[in-house]
């Protein structure tokens, strides 16, 4: 008689079902209830919301830790659920950290599961969404945890520019654990006490530098969306975060070899814009919100603004024109007169580089008086940061279309993408003003001596400003020099952009071979 008799298949399947049920319970009922009491969903509930019904395929379901130190309990899955599924019919990989299992902490196996998701996603060219909810490096696994983070960070970097990476911040993130989200393309963070991210928490902050600050004031969603710029989208709740991720994906190709997804929006590219003249005042000193123009310009007014609450003097985001995805970079005079500061330059440069990496054409809408002057900006490195925009636009090989709607002065004129920097087509409205600097500044420099010696300097100043404005406060001087392809009526802007996108669809532009460039950081 055999010592071990293999049970029949039905018994084996029953055993498997029992085990899977155990897996599905995560850290157990008590922990799940505690998770819910904080207003948080579990990792499985989140994945269920994220993926098309029944489409999720789990991998490394039974993987568990090899460590035994500090009586470490073994849990199937090791605190992270990994796999792929469909979102609106498209294949997407995901991992969701399970806070009910060892606080979602990251040890050796947990990390290797995330790495495996990335390896597969890179092989097949599909995006990765990471739902982060973790106490950070698993203390019991010591240096293995840190090594695990290193492996995850490396995969984030290997995947950068190859497949889109989206992070949903759905719990705490402290210490180095914040850096995997930071290495991805977009961070969506949920509002509320249960969600925060910082390198050093309030307790250590108090002990080390004597500063008292709450969790939310140090690392909540609002702080990161308005002050640090770490967060790209703020979600009202968990469901909202999932919705934002899905909406974002709808604008993105699955990888850098694909075009962004075309969508039949039923909004004609040749459509005339209505009432734009009343949105954009011709008086250059009157601020207006550029988003009112953008909503008018894009298909059905649908614009997904990125970094909406940070560096609002520049507006960036995704929309469609005639069904084709575009990335829009626009100065917003409603904030700091639309001048470019260090944060605006960083925001724009990162967005431009993302669009270029993923074949998304760029539209610049220009209305800027220049870079912000003063010691604050100079000390913070406006030279270094401002250079990022120049670098990003010059480096980009996607179609680049510029429309100058009003002021376009100095370095900022160049930074918003002009012909010599590599713009493919440049248009201007009749309200455009293109010059090295604003009228008063220019006159004070050009006529310094005359103004010093004049009997009535104010009159002379006015007269010279008027002369200067006559020459440069229009697009024609630049158009005569061949710097503007056409001066267009505002109502034709969408039509012109739509046609430009069509002609530039098969644009080819080549670069010298190199390992990588050295963007000023
Ligand atoms: C192991 C951890 C853990 C961790 C939490 N847990 N974090 N286990 N390693 N890092 C466990 C807890 O022991 C607890 O287990 C369970 O998860 C739930 O945690 P609670 O503390 O009960 O939850 P909560 O009150 O919500 O507090 C969440 C928390 C807190 C604020 C995140 O758990 C915490 O401070 N954790 C430690 C954070 C930390 O210092 N991490 C290392 C950061 S440095 P039981 O069994 O009691 O339920 C880092 C370096 C990365 O990450 C370096 C990368 C280069």
């Amino acid at each position: 008689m055999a010592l071990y008799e293999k049970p029949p298949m039905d018994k084996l399947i029953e055993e498997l079902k029992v085990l899977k049920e155990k897996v599905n319970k995560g850290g157990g009922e008590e922990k799940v209830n505690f998770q819910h009491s904080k207003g948080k969903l579990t990792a499985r509930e989140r994945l269920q919301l994220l993926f098309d019904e029944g489409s999720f395929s789990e991998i490394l379901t039974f993987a568990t830790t090899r460590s035994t130190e500090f009586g470490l309990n073994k849990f199937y899955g090791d605190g992270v659920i990994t796999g792929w599924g469909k979102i609106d019919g498209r294949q997407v990989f995901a991992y969701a950290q399970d806070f009910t299992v060892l606080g979602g902490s990251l040890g050796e196996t947990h990390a290797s599961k995330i790495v495996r998701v990335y390896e597969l996603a890179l092989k097949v060219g599909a995006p990765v969404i990471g739902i982060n909810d973790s106490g950070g490096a698993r203390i019991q696994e010591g240096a293995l945890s840190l090594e695990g983070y290193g492996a995850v960070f490396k995969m984030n970097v290997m995947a950068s520019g190859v497949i889109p990476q989206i992070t949903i911040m759905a719990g705490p993130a402290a210490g180095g654990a914040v850096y995997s989200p930071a290495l991805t393309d977009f961070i969506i963070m949920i509002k509320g006490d249960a969600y925060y991210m910082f390198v050093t928490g309030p307790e250590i902050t108090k002990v080390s530098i004597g500063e008292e600050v709450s969790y939310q004031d140090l690392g909540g969603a609002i702080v990161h969306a308005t002050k640090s710029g770490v967060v790209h989208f703020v979600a009202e709740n968990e469901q909202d975060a999932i919705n934002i991720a899905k909406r974002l994906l709808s604008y993105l190709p699955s990888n850098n070899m694909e075009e962004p997804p075309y969508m039949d929006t039923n909004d004609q590219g040749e459509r005339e814009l209505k009432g734009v003249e009343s949105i954009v005042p011709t008086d250059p000193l009157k601020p207006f919100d550029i988003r009112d123009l953008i909503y008018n310009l894009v298909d059905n007014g649908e614009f997904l603004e990125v970094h909406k609450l940070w560096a609002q003097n520049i507006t960036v985001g995704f929309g469609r024109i005639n069904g084709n995805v575009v990335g829009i970079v626009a100065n917003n005079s409603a904030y700091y007169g639309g001048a470019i500061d260090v944060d605006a330059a960083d925001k724009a440069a990162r967005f431009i580089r993302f669009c270029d990496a993923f074949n998304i054409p760029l539209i610049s809408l220009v209305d800027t008086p220049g870079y912000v002057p003063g010691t604050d900006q100079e000390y913070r490195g406006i030279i270094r940061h401002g250079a990022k925009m120049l670098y990003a636009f010059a480096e980009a090989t996607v179609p680049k279309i510029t429309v100058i709607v009003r002021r376009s002065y100095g370095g900022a004129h160049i930074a918003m993408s002009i012909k010599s920097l590599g713009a493919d087509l440049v248009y201007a409205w009749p309200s455009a003003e293109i010059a090295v600097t604003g009228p008063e500044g220019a006159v004070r420099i050009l006529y310094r001596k005359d103004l010093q010696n004049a009997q009535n300097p104010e009159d002379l100043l006015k007269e010279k400003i008027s002369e200067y404005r006559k020459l440069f406060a229009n697009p024609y001087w630049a158009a005569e020099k061949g710097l503007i392809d056409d001066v267009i009526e505002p109502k034709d802007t969408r039509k012109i952009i739509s046609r430009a996108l069509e002609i530039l669809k098969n644009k080819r532009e080549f670069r010298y071979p190199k390992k990588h460039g050295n963007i000023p950081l």
Side-chain angles (χ1 to χ4, degrees):
M1 200 172 78
L3 285 176
Y4 173 72
E5 213 170 304
K6 189 94 175 170
M9 185 57 95
D10 57 344
K11 285 268 177 287
L12 292 174
I13 290 173
E14 214 156 286
E15 192 186 347
L16 171 66
K17 281 185 177 159
V18 170
L19 286 177
K20 284 238 163 145
E21 209 167 301
K22 201 171 168 194
V23 170
N24 290 340
K25 283 190 174 147
E29 202 179 330
E30 199 183 313
K31 299 267 189 241
V32 168
N33 289 341
F34 189 54
Q35 175 88 344
H36 285 157
S37 74
K38 288 186 275 186
K40 292 161 75 180
L41 297 175
T42 65
R44 280 187 196 280
E45 287 164 344
R46 288 166 174 162
L47 289 171
Q48 214 166 357
L49 287 179
L50 182 67
F51 288 117
D52 297 350
E53 202 179 338
S55 71
F56 181 61
S57 298
E58 189 168 349
I59 52 168
L60 294 173
T61 314
F62 292 102
T64 185
T65 179
R66 295 190 293 180
S67 299
T68 52
E69 284 80 2
F70 298 97
L72 190 59
N73 278 337
K74 291 187 179 190
F75 286 90
Y76 286 141
D78 207 39
V80 63
I81 301 166
T82 45
W84 74 88
K86 286 188 178 175
I87 294 179
D88 296 327
R90 295 167 70 199
Q91 301 283 11
V92 177
F93 281 80
Y95 70 85
Q97 292 179 311
D98 184 350
F99 198 84
T100 69
V101 172
L102 301 165
S105 56
L106 182 142
E108 182 193 24
T109 301
H110 181 121
S112 70
K113 289 184 68 176
I114 298 174
V115 168
R116 176 97 177 109
V117 157
Y118 267 91
E119 283 170 348
L120 285 172
L122 277 166
K123 265 189 213 173
V124 304
V128 173
I129 297 180
I131 304 180
N132 285 40
D133 186 4
S134 168
R138 186 172 299 154
I139 294 161
Q140 300 93 319
E141 293 198 47
L144 277 175
S145 305
L146 304 180
E147 206 67 18
Y149 267 116
V152 173
F153 298 165
K154 183 164 180 221
M155 290 316 290
N156 293 138
V157 176
M158 294 303 105
S160 183
V162 182
I163 50 173
Q165 302 177 69
I166 299 170
T167 299
I168 297 178
M169 279 307 312
V178 297
Y179 285 114
S180 175
L183 288 167
T184 63
D185 297 306
F186 298 102
I187 300 180
I188 301 162
M189 187 162 180
I190 304 163
K191 265 202 257 182
D193 289 347
Y195 316 97
Y196 49 83
M197 59 192 300
F198 36 64
V199 171
T200 314
E203 287 87 4
I204 310 266
T205 300
K206 188 175 171 194
V207 173
S208 56
I209 61 166
E211 185 185 347
E212 282 193 51
V213 61
S214 71
Y215 277 66
Q216 282 302 303
D217 285 346
L218 189 61
I222 296 299
V223 158
H224 283 309
T226 57
K227 291 185 193 297
S228 70
V230 167
V231 163
H232 301 79
F233 302 96
V234 175
E236 291 300 319
N237 51 47
E238 304 230 354
Q239 175 70 65
D240 191 34
I242 302 273
N243 294 347
I244 294 170
K246 288 184 183 183
R247 191 165 166 220
L248 178 56
L249 267 183
S250 75
Y251 290 102
L252 311 183
S254 294
N255 59 67
N256 63 336
M257 307 292 276
E258 273 186 14
E259 295 298 317
Y262 168 82
M263 191 186 281
D264 186 358
T265 54
N266 212 8
D267 192 355
Q268 290 302 314
E270 299 276 313
R271 167 171 63 82
E272 279 191 359
L273 302 186
K274 291 217 167 68
V276 273
E277 293 83 356
S278 61
I279 293 173
V280 185
T282 52
D283 179 350
L285 298 177
K286 270 200 180 150
F288 72 99
D289 198 323
I290 195 78
R291 285 172 290 203
D292 292 332
L293 174 61
I294 296 172
Y295 298 139
N296 217 319
L297 182 69
V298 294
D299 290 1
N300 305 317
E302 281 176 25
F303 177 59
L304 179 61
E305 192 173 345
V306 178
H307 269 144
K308 188 176 185 173
L309 302 175
W310 182 59
Q312 291 169 298
N313 36 339
I314 209 152
T315 299
V316 303
F318 302 105
R320 281 190 166 80
I321 289 189
N322 204 18
N324 298 299
V325 177
V326 291
I328 295 177
V329 180
N331 312 108
N332 195 344
S333 62
Y335 301 89
Y336 307 122
I340 298 172
D341 62 356
V342 291
D343 287 344
D346 278 10
K347 169 174 163 177
R350 183 150 169 83
F351 181 74
I352 294 161
R353 297 191 97 214
F354 177 84
C355 290
D356 186 47
F358 291 102
N359 312 317
I360 298 173
L362 286 159
I363 314 285
S364 299
L365 300 175
V366 187
D367 175 29
T368 178
Y371 283 113
V372 175
T375 49
D376 173 63
Q377 287 295 305
E378 294 291 350
Y379 294 174
R380 287 172 68 193
I382 188 70
I383 297 174
R384 196 161 40 83
H385 294 277
K388 292 178 198 182
M389 270 184 85
L390 299 167
Y391 192 106
F393 264 128
E395 173 190 51
T397 55
V398 288
K400 292 177 282 190
I401 302 157
T402 301
V403 182
I404 302 170
V405 301
R406 219 169 50 163
R407 304 151 307 159
S408 196
Y409 290 146
H413 167 69
I414 309 169
M416 286 302 289
S417 182
I418 59 172
K419 277 203 177 163
S420 59
L421 198 71
D424 297 299
L425 287 162
V426 178
Y427 297 97
W429 285 11
S431 46
E433 302 185 4
I434 305 160
V436 170
T437 184
E440 186 168 341
V443 167
R444 285 192 185 281
I445 291 167
L446 288 175
Y447 297 97
R448 183 182 299 153
K449 285 204 180 105
D450 303 83
L451 286 166
Q452 275 167 2
N453 300 330
Q455 287 207 321
N456 194 337
E458 276 308 306
D459 283 354
L460 182 65
L461 185 70
K462 272 188 198 150
E463 181 194 322
K464 293 296 173 193
I465 285 178
S466 169
E467 274 175 28
Y468 185 91
R469 286 193 60 78
K470 206 167 165 196
L471 191 63
F472 289 134
N474 62 71
Y476 301 107
W477 194 91
E480 282 169 21
K481 306 288 179 286
L483 310 177
I484 306 291
D485 286 296
D486 201 5
V487 181
I488 60 169
E489 286 189 48
K491 70 175 171 52
D492 292 331
T493 307
R494 179 176 157 90
K495 178 175 83 183
I496 299 287
I497 291 176
S498 177
R499 290 180 182 184
L501 286 169
E502 201 179 342
I503 194 66
L504 292 169
K505 206 171 177 62
N506 296 320
K507 172 193 171 188
R508 284 183 298 177
E509 197 170 300
F510 302 99
R511 296 284 183 264
Y512 293 111
K514 57 183 161 183
K515 191 170 173 191
H516 57 72
N518 190 15
I519 188 167
L521 295 174

